[in-house]
Amino acid sequence: MNKTLLAASLLTLAASPAALAQDKMKPFTMEGEMGFIFTTGNTDTTSISAGVTAHQELAQWSNDYNIEGLYKKETVETDGIEEERTSAQKFFASAQGNYKLDNPDYRLFGFASYEDDRLSNFDYQATLAAGWNHKLYETDTQSFEYSIGPGYAFAETQEGEEQNGMIVRASAAYQWLISDTAKFTQTVSTEVGSDNTKSRAESALTATISGNLSMKLSVKLDHNSDVGPGVEKLDTETAVTLVYNFF
């Protein structure tokens, strides 16, 4: 299956019901973040991390969108010979639409994601899932919600082996507005299947610098239970990035 077509179709399936639900849009927020690291000397490195997150609140839908990218290139000199290599190249995108029931804290969700990580055990991983979403509580400063439901995973290893099958997906998101200029967010998800269990988590602290510009410190964990020989199960990413609030 063509990876580009798969990614586009999965995200379209998740977003299309929400787009058709209402012509009149209610509050919409979007943040973009980017970070760079350059080093020179015995090892020349270039690291770029970027992402966009958005939240859309409609009368019947509450939707979340996320795009992340990471790229790292190294030039190492050994015995006078320079060797250039890519040590990280990753793309991840997801979308979740939550349909509100009579009690708007109770929702039915649809989720889709696609990940292309060139240096992991998998050539690509994609997920479709649907089920129950519950906003457990929301105050002026804190909120917590969770989702759980069945789904289907599409994956192909670097050796060309397909690992497609049914999964159970569970996720949770917590936000704490510490002050008018600082917030803490925690997200976690797991997709349990017969071939592999894929889990992701992010802890982030964001502080406003000036106006719409903020600084974000984040730690991301990405874990796969079934990997090939010589491949780590857990990938971690610690980053300091600048965040711009567009809306």
Side-chain angles (χ1 to χ4, degrees):
M1 179 179 290
N2 185 283
K3 294 187 291 181
T4 304
L5 291 177
L6 177 61
S9 62
L10 294 187
L11 295 180
T12 300
L13 284 171
S16 57
L20 296 174
Q22 294 281 339
D23 293 328
K24 183 179 179 181
M25 294 177 60
K26 291 187 176 181
F28 180 81
T29 60
M30 183 171 70
E31 294 181 343
E33 64 178 274
M34 184 165 287
F36 299 92
I37 298 176
F38 302 98
T39 64
T40 60
N42 294 322
T43 303
D44 296 338
T45 65
T46 301
S47 300
I48 303 172
S49 63
V52 176
T53 59
H55 178 76
Q56 182 184 33
E57 200 68 35
L58 303 172
Q60 289 297 129
W61 289 86
S62 179
N63 309 312
D64 292 289
Y65 310 94
N66 181 37
I67 298 175
E68 301 172 11
L70 173 66
Y71 177 78
K72 184 178 180 181
K73 182 178 70 175
E74 299 178 340
T75 302
V76 182
E77 184 174 336
T78 306
D79 298 329
I81 300 175
E82 290 189 347
E83 178 186 0
E84 187 175 277
R85 65 191 181 195
T86 300
S87 55
Q89 187 173 339
K90 183 177 181 179
F91 171 81
F92 176 82
S94 67
Q96 178 163 325
N98 301 306
Y99 179 75
K100 302 174 186 176
L101 302 178
D102 291 339
N103 182 338
D105 290 339
Y106 299 153
R107 302 105 173 266
L108 301 176
F109 83 87
F111 173 86
S113 70
Y114 177 82
E115 181 174 359
D116 185 337
D117 188 349
R118 299 295 175 87
L119 298 178
S120 73
N121 186 69
F122 295 92
D123 187 30
Y124 72 88
Q125 293 175 282
T127 300
L128 280 174
W132 177 258
N133 173 270
H134 182 196
K135 181 176 285 188
L136 196 60
Y137 68 85
E138 183 176 32
T139 67
D140 291 339
T141 58
Q142 298 184 67
S143 65
F144 177 82
E145 66 178 81
Y146 69 89
S147 303
I148 188 168
Y152 198 86
F154 307 83
E156 184 176 306
T157 68
Q158 298 291 355
E159 290 74 30
E161 177 188 355
E162 291 190 352
Q163 293 187 357
N164 303 334
M166 297 295 298
I167 60 166
V168 174
R169 173 179 168 82
S171 65
Y174 170 76
Q175 179 174 272
W176 174 27
L177 301 178
I178 303 171
S179 68
D180 292 338
T181 58
K183 69 176 179 180
F184 171 79
T185 57
Q186 176 69 59
T187 59
V188 61
S189 68
T190 187
E191 298 168 3
V192 182
S194 58
D195 292 320
N196 181 51
T197 296
K198 175 178 173 61
S199 303
R200 290 171 54 90
E202 180 187 43
S203 304
L205 182 64
T206 306
T208 302
I209 299 175
S210 177
N212 291 344
L213 187 64
S214 303
M215 181 172 288
K216 177 181 176 181
L217 171 63
S218 63
V219 178
K220 297 179 182 179
L221 308 177
D222 197 340
H223 184 272
N224 286 281
S225 64
D226 182 21
V227 298
V231 179
E232 295 288 340
K233 293 184 177 182
L234 176 66
D235 291 325
T236 65
E237 179 188 338
T238 302
V240 177
T241 55
L242 290 177
V243 179
Y244 187 79
N245 190 346
F246 293 98
F247 302 102

